Amino acid sequence: QVQLVESGGGLVQAGGSLRLSCAASGRTSSSRAMGWFRQAPGKEREFVAGINWIGASTNYEDSVKGRFTISRDNFKNTLSLQMNSLKPEDTAIYYCAASRTVGVVTAANLYDYWGQGTQVTVSS
């Protein structure tokens, strides 16, 4: 069993930055791809960013490319999402997730473990 706990969410003005962190504990493995998803009220959960097992490959949803950066530290069992140039449409609950795959995947049903989520609110 892997436990994931997100932190770093909050309220920020448009154009500002936040850095989300995800701490993994339990039966952790560096052989999993990791990802960030988000869900806004009334919307489906969507893929935001993913990183492969070793951290050498990343993938981003089109709307966040160039603004968000995903990274991982396998020694510390942490995952991060640096979010710059935030927009009101980025407002959502952000979830950290661990995939059952070693390579990056975007489908939520391919992720085995999920954090509780952290709220990100961007005001205009």
Side-chain angles (χ1 to χ4, degrees):
Q1 184 74 16
V2 176
Q3 294 178 320
L4 304 174
V5 180
E6 303 95 336
S7 61
L11 175 65
V12 66
Q13 292 284 328
S17 298
L18 285 173
R19 185 176 180 87
L20 305 183
S21 295
C22 173
S25 61
R27 299 178 64 185
T28 59
S29 174
S30 62
S31 297
R32 295 180 182 270
M34 301 288 293
W36 289 95
F37 289 75
R38 66 187 180 188
Q39 187 167 25
K43 302 290 186 180
E44 295 292 319
R45 186 171 298 186
E46 67 172 354
F47 174 82
V48 176
I51 188 166
N52 77 342
W53 70 280
I54 199 171
S57 180
T58 58
N59 192 28
Y60 298 91
E61 190 271 326
D62 287 343
S63 70
V64 309
K65 288 180 179 177
R67 300 189 297 121
F68 291 9
T69 302
I70 188 172
S71 60
R72 69 188 298 167
D73 187 331
N74 289 342
F75 181 76
K76 296 181 179 179
N77 292 321
T78 57
L79 179 76
S80 297
L81 184 68
Q82 178 66 45
M83 305 186 295
N84 298 326
S85 301
L86 283 162
K87 304 174 181 180
E89 53 262 43
D90 294 319
T91 296
I93 300 174
Y94 283 71
Y95 297 90
C96 170
S99 175
R100 67 173 184 256
T101 64
V102 296
V104 176
V105 289
T106 61
N109 63 4
L110 296 178
Y111 286 77
D112 289 334
Y113 301 100
W114 297 82
Q116 82 289 346
T118 186
Q119 178 70 49
V120 172
T121 303
V122 184
S123 61
S124 59

